[in-house]
Amino acid sequence: MAKNLLIVESPAKAKTIEGYLGKDFTVKSSYGHIRDLIKSEDAIDTANNFTQKYEVPADKKQVVSELKKLAKEAEMVWLASDEDREGEAISWHLFETLGLKDATTKRIVFHEITKPAILRAIDTPRKIDYNLVNAQQARRVLDRLVGFELSPVLWKKVKPSLSAGRVQSVAVRLIVDRERDINKFKSEAAFKIVAIFGKGKEAFKAELPERFSQQEDAEKFLNDCIGADFEIRSLETKPAKRSPAAPFTTSTLQQEASRKLGYSVARTMQVAQRLYESGYISYMRTDSVNLSETALDAAQKEIVSAYGDKYHQLRKYKTKNASAQEAHEAIRPTYFNNHTIDGESAEKRLYELIWKRAIASQMSEAQFEKTTAKISISSRREELTANGEVMKFDGFLKVYLESDDEEEDTQQDGENTMLPPLTRGQRLALQEMSATERFSRPPARYTEASLVKKLEELGIGRPSTYAPTISTIQNRGYVVKEEREGKIRHFRVLTLKGDSVVKEDKTENTGAERGKLFPTDIGSVVNDFLVLHFNDIVDFNFTASVEKQFDEIAQGLKEWTAMLHDFYNPFHKEVQSTIETADKATGERELGVHPESGKKISVRIGRYGPFVQVGESATEENKEEKPLYASLRAGQSIETISLEEALELFKLPKVVGEYEGKVMKVAIGRFGPYISHNSAFISLPKEIDPLDVTEEEAIVLIEAKRKKDAEKLIKAFDEDPAVKVLNGRWGPYIEFGKLNVKIPKDKDPLTLTYEECKALADAMPKDAKKGRFGKAAAVKPAAKKAPAKKKAATKKK
């Protein structure tokens, strides 16, 4: 048995590190946290200084048992969990749960998994930092208290099964507020003037800096330019330069991976975790832009080797965020000479992005020559402006160019990559001039990346919290990330060519969204309830101040239980008061009256989602009242639906014809619009409006569904019609009533008998749940863990 037991968080990391240490070390994984707060309400004793009750989950008991045995046999135990607060807490939990002793326990940290870093950490061990542990405890306890106390309030006052959280609720508020800003926005039109001078390769564009709000003024401008002389009044050429961005922090990596690679925040962190555990990059949860001297030297060597001396420029970046946690490094490759790696496509692409950003940060500025030409018009006082840019030295742009959240909006018609040779006083020949109607734009909806950026700007959350926060608000149905189609908008273009101005009406698609975050109706209602009754919880400044207090605890400047008392006592009183006094929140909005019946039409949130109601709900005085109800359609919201749109909903369900002697009816249910026919339900494709479905379309959809179902069926049984052998997404399986049963590899689905199907179903665990995609969701034995995924070897260039 080895003298030393070294414990890390993940099996992949354990395997990588084991190769660096000799036979005196056994390296094992804790598979993340080995214990957590118990699930019941008495997990935290608020009356006894926030004492916590922890438990080892069932799926970690064998891991703990094995680690305890190994720890007893070892002379020294090395706790090597991650170097942030979460990692420090994991080391503390290991120390407590395994019954370790100070004399035979050492804590080590490293920000990259390389042999020199691991050996350096072994040479410089420390003890567990209880300031960091207390900061993590404070966060965990406070967030548990907020969740456990707020959620029951929401169940009673809004809707069952809801939940709230300190950081997630602020994130939802940002998205709700932005959506309302967009809904209130009134777009204004103005005409933009762009002229084209010269022909062929000598042609270039110039733009009028100001815009005309009235079409008449734009038209007069064009008419005044008929036969006018255009002359270069001034010509200014000056050097310009562009500097590279700092190396990645957690948030900037998430933003750039979203823009350049299309990755969600959660996916970026999953891939980065694999890269780190394989030894390819430094630690991926950091808010530092600093690079170590070792990294700076390695970057210089690689830049000089690959591109030459003139491409290198030493830079030391400083973190602007005053609340940056611990002295981490920025995210960087562990070996700068590895331009790429072997592995899965996602890992390869993210690694190359990290490599480019880090290497570019140590490269020379890009140098340009910018030219600005002012063009006078003999018949007007205004001047046109033409801009050109020529790159003189590419510098860091040889490797990397940072993206922008609103890249598609930044392109200006009046910008030129290059201008032809021009001289002051030169007369210009006008080829064409246009006045195009353009509209002001509302604030942009958040993407996952821009939401992370905003949270970081406000000081809300930390590197480890961004991804889980954004996943949580989507998983809980408060926010959806989706694509939405735009609307057709008409605009006018006036074009001067020769001696006449031609007017054209054109159309464009506007408002189309891709991968943007939208609040759901329930998200908006919950947000409004929290703003009204628990404003501190969703107040940006308050939430940021809580984060600062966690930082102070981590630095040993604040006592963690005192901080919790300051927060919890007023918060708990507010919870009790709200339960007693607050009205139920439904987000109800009155739309108007029904044009025929004169009854009130309103919209609100119900148990199964948003709906429109015609008439009043039945009361003790008027029990005969029977209101009509209709669910909202996808893309509709209780905040924006109009009376006309609401009335349209009551045109459903509608009969669209008969087929095989049975009525075909179109309706909208909890899962969207559908056709019902002969006890069968056929979902309508997104592109078909339920109000426009024809008899012929309905028949085609019914037949298509029958064909698909027939292809799915492999075998049926006379003994029991509820038992079928079907083709699923993951291959053949047995549908045995409400249970999906996996077919063993040695069984042919075509030859299965009813008795064999029954035997397989009977052999399923009693508490097995019905699985998705043709598989039974078997209950896994608690002791077993999935094997670690093997990583590809590094490819060197």
Side-chain angles (χ1 to χ4, degrees):
M1 173 51 60
K3 295 178 181 178
N4 298 278
L5 171 64
L6 190 144
I7 305 173
V8 293
E9 291 179 36
S10 77
K13 192 190 297 185
K15 186 176 179 184
T16 307
I17 293 172
E18 202 161 36
Y20 300 143
L21 300 173
K23 56 180 172 50
D24 286 343
F25 278 84
T26 295
V27 184
K28 291 293 179 180
S29 167
S30 69
Y31 295 90
H33 279 279
I34 57 160
R35 69 175 186 177
D36 197 4
L37 292 169
I38 62 174
K39 300 298 183 188
S40 58
E41 291 184 7
D42 62 344
I44 300 160
D45 188 349
T46 55
N48 189 22
N49 224 22
F50 302 99
T51 305
Q52 302 121 61
K53 291 182 183 176
Y54 288 99
E55 66 179 352
V56 176
D59 63 343
K60 290 295 178 71
K61 285 184 176 175
Q62 184 173 327
V63 173
V64 170
S65 177
E66 182 189 6
L67 291 176
K68 271 186 177 179
K69 180 176 180 294
L70 292 170
K72 281 182 181 178
E73 295 170 353
E75 294 177 12
M76 184 65 66
V77 177
W78 303 76
L79 302 176
S81 51
D82 290 341
E83 61 171 334
D84 56 9
R85 295 175 194 169
E86 194 82 22
E88 205 70 24
I90 288 174
S91 281
W92 173 66
H93 286 303
L94 284 165
F95 186 87
E96 295 278 314
T97 309
L98 302 183
L100 304 180
K101 294 180 172 59
D102 273 323
T104 55
T105 305
K106 292 181 179 179
R107 169 81 170 115
I108 61 170
V109 294
F110 38 83
H111 63 267
E112 64 184 24
I113 303 176
T114 60
K115 188 171 184 177
I118 303 302
L119 296 178
R120 196 181 311 120
I122 295 285
D123 289 338
T124 55
R126 60 172 174 80
K127 295 296 181 182
I128 292 172
D129 186 336
Y130 283 94
N131 289 329
L132 296 182
V133 172
N134 291 338
Q136 180 59 28
Q137 275 196 99
R139 176 188 290 279
R140 185 77 182 90
V141 168
L142 190 148
D143 288 347
R144 167 63 77 91
L145 290 172
V146 169
F148 261 62
E149 297 216 4
L150 271 189
S151 297
V153 179
L154 296 179
W155 303 342
K156 292 175 182 176
K157 302 298 182 179
V158 184
K159 184 183 167 186
S161 303
L162 295 177
S163 65
R166 185 179 57 86
V167 178
Q168 74 176 57
S169 297
V170 175
V172 172
R173 182 179 185 179
L174 284 168
I175 294 165
V176 170
D177 287 352
R178 178 59 57 87
E179 192 68 22
R180 287 172 178 164
D181 287 342
I182 292 167
N183 291 336
K184 287 187 293 188
F185 184 81
K186 303 294 182 188
S187 186
E188 296 180 354
F191 285 82
K192 177 181 180 178
I193 306 292
V194 177
I196 301 175
F197 294 103
K199 292 183 178 180
K201 292 183 179 179
E202 298 294 305
F204 67 96
K205 289 181 179 180
E207 185 180 322
L208 189 70
E210 57 262 41
R211 298 191 179 191
F212 295 108
S213 57
Q214 301 298 320
Q215 181 180 325
E216 295 76 16
D217 295 333
E219 191 172 353
K220 184 176 187 309
F221 183 89
L222 295 185
N223 280 315
D224 287 349
C225 288
I226 295 174
D229 294 327
F230 299 90
E231 184 179 300
I232 303 284
R233 186 188 64 77
S234 68
L235 198 62
E236 183 183 13
T237 300
K238 59 182 179 181
K241 54 190 177 184
R242 193 180 303 169
S243 298
F248 282 131
T249 61
T250 301
S251 67
T252 54
L253 175 64
Q254 290 168 349
Q255 292 164 48
E256 196 73 339
S258 172
R259 293 185 290 239
K260 274 191 160 63
L261 307 179
Y263 291 177
S264 69
V265 166
R267 188 182 185 200
T268 296
M269 295 312 292
Q270 288 163 2
V271 176
Q273 180 90 31
R274 296 201 296 268
L275 291 173
Y276 168 64
E277 291 175 353
S278 301
Y280 294 146
I281 64 170
S282 59
Y283 192 54
M284 67 286 152
R285 292 190 184 92
T286 175
D287 43 19
S288 171
V289 291
N290 178 54
L291 291 178
S292 67
E293 291 298 328
T294 304
L296 293 173
D297 291 344
Q300 177 180 357
K301 185 177 178 182
E302 188 55 33
I303 291 165
V304 171
S305 169
Y307 309 110
D309 283 325
K310 65 178 180 177
Y311 279 93
H312 176 254
Q313 183 176 335
L314 176 67
R315 283 191 186 79
K316 293 186 179 181
Y317 294 89
K318 289 187 178 178
T319 304
K320 294 178 183 176
N321 185 358
S323 63
Q325 258 193 65
E326 296 94 46
H328 298 160
E329 264 197 275
I331 303 169
R332 61 164 177 83
T334 49
Y335 302 103
F336 279 92
N337 59 318
N338 293 334
H339 294 212
T340 186
I341 59 169
D342 288 331
E344 294 178 7
S345 172
E347 294 172 8
K348 196 171 179 178
R349 293 178 74 200
L350 191 67
Y351 175 84
E352 288 171 2
L353 187 66
I354 291 167
W355 182 89
K356 287 177 180 178
R357 176 81 164 224
I359 206 85
S361 75
Q362 298 304 308
M363 292 179 72
S364 305
E365 296 167 329
Q367 296 174 9
F368 300 88
E369 185 178 82
K370 283 196 169 185
T371 302
T372 302
K374 300 284 187 181
I375 301 165
S376 64
I377 308 166
S378 61
S379 57
R380 299 281 301 200
R381 60 173 180 78
E382 297 95 341
E383 291 181 332
L384 300 166
T385 302
N387 294 305
E389 185 177 80
V390 177
M391 185 186 291
K392 292 296 186 181
F393 176 63
D394 54 1
F396 76 94
L397 292 177
K398 193 173 194 72
V399 172
Y400 178 83
L401 174 62
E402 186 179 19
S403 297
D404 187 276
D405 279 321
E406 303 300 329
E407 272 187 337
E408 67 273 15
D409 298 339
T410 58
Q411 186 62 39
Q412 299 293 324
D413 290 338
E415 290 183 355
N416 301 276
T417 305
M418 266 182 87
L419 291 174
L422 299 171
T423 56
R424 187 174 176 181
Q426 178 182 343
R427 292 286 184 91
L428 300 172
L430 179 68
Q431 181 184 333
E432 182 182 292
M433 185 181 288
S434 63
T436 304
E437 189 176 18
R438 284 287 167 245
F439 298 85
S440 56
R441 299 187 181 192
R445 288 184 175 90
Y446 287 108
T447 60
E448 287 191 358
S450 62
L451 180 60
V452 165
K453 185 178 181 181
K454 185 65 176 177
L455 289 169
E456 187 181 41
E457 286 173 1
L458 293 170
I460 295 166
R462 289 295 181 263
S464 62
T465 64
Y466 302 133
T469 295
I470 289 174
S471 296
T472 297
I473 62 177
Q474 293 178 66
N475 293 339
R476 290 184 174 165
Y478 294 151
V479 170
V480 291
K481 182 172 79 169
E482 60 186 20
E483 297 181 14
R484 292 195 181 175
E485 295 179 0
K487 296 178 180 177
I488 297 299
R489 178 168 64 191
H490 296 272
F491 67 100
R492 302 214 82 188
V493 179
L494 316 177
T495 306
L496 165 63
K497 206 164 187 178
D499 294 332
S500 62
V501 175
V502 177
K503 301 176 187 177
E504 287 180 277
D505 286 320
K506 294 188 176 183
T507 59
E508 62 184 353
N509 188 44
T510 183
E513 299 281 24
R514 184 180 174 188
K516 296 292 179 71
L517 298 173
F518 296 83
T520 61
D521 284 321
I522 193 64
S524 297
V525 171
V526 167
N527 173 73
D528 292 349
F529 182 84
L530 293 176
V531 169
L532 182 62
H533 297 287
F534 299 94
N535 190 53
D536 278 354
I537 297 297
V538 288
D539 179 78
F540 305 135
N541 293 328
F542 175 80
T543 309
S545 75
V546 170
E547 297 287 357
K548 287 180 182 175
Q549 290 180 69
F550 292 149
D551 294 336
E552 289 169 2
I553 294 167
Q555 294 160 19
L557 303 175
K558 198 176 189 77
E559 208 281 315
W560 72 282
T561 56
M563 177 261 180
L564 289 175
H565 280 297
D566 290 343
F567 169 84
Y568 180 72
N569 294 336
F571 168 70
H572 183 64
K573 288 177 184 175
E574 206 166 14
V575 168
Q576 292 175 316
S577 171
T578 303
I579 289 175
E580 292 169 9
T581 62
D583 294 328
K584 194 169 177 66
T586 63
E588 184 170 355
R589 188 166 71 92
E590 195 170 321
L591 302 179
V593 296
H594 196 284
E596 295 170 10
S597 67
K599 291 183 177 181
K600 183 180 86 170
I601 298 182
S602 60
V603 61
R604 68 175 186 272
I605 285 284
R607 188 177 184 89
Y608 300 111
F611 67 93
V612 175
Q613 177 175 324
V614 177
E616 301 284 355
S617 298
T619 61
E620 285 296 323
E621 295 77 23
N622 186 6
K623 295 181 179 179
E624 301 302 316
E625 181 74 37
K626 289 187 178 178
L628 298 174
Y629 303 99
S631 297
L632 268 62
R633 294 171 61 183
Q636 291 182 326
S637 162
I638 60 174
E639 294 198 10
T640 57
I641 190 171
S642 65
L643 176 63
E644 293 72 24
E645 290 169 333
L647 289 169
E648 286 286 304
L649 296 174
F650 289 96
K651 293 180 179 178
L652 297 174
K654 72 169 185 176
V655 173
V656 293
E658 285 192 6
Y659 183 51
E660 299 174 341
K662 302 285 185 180
V663 168
M664 297 182 293
K665 190 183 291 183
V666 179
I668 294 180
R670 286 178 64 192
F671 305 106
Y674 64 91
I675 298 168
S676 64
H677 174 257
N678 195 21
S679 301
F681 300 93
I682 300 94
S683 296
L684 277 180
K686 285 183 179 180
E687 62 272 14
I688 297 181
D689 190 315
L691 291 170
D692 298 335
V693 177
T694 64
E695 186 176 36
E696 292 75 18
E697 285 176 322
I699 293 169
V700 168
L701 290 168
I702 290 168
E703 287 298 330
K705 178 73 162 56
R706 286 178 179 175
K707 184 172 182 288
K708 186 177 179 182
D709 288 347
E711 290 170 351
K712 184 179 179 182
L713 180 67
I714 296 174
K715 195 171 186 179
F717 300 96
D718 294 335
E719 293 93 331
D720 188 348
V723 180
K724 302 182 186 76
V725 182
L726 302 172
N727 251 322
R729 183 176 175 185
W730 308 110
Y733 68 102
I734 301 163
E735 184 179 88
F736 203 95
K738 292 184 177 181
L739 190 67
N740 288 354
V741 182
K742 188 176 181 180
I743 300 173
K745 289 182 180 178
D746 60 346
K747 298 282 186 182
D748 182 356
L750 286 169
T751 62
L752 281 172
T753 64
Y754 174 76
E755 287 72 24
E756 286 176 311
C757 291
K758 187 174 186 306
L760 289 168
D762 290 341
M764 291 287 291
K766 297 298 181 188
D767 51 355
K769 298 176 182 178
K770 184 173 179 181
R772 296 174 65 201
F773 314 133
K775 281 189 178 182
V779 177
K780 295 180 182 178
K784 292 189 177 179
K785 290 295 295 184
K789 188 173 179 182
K790 291 184 179 179
K791 294 292 175 283
T794 304
K795 178 180 176 182
K796 296 186 179 182
K797 281 192 174 181

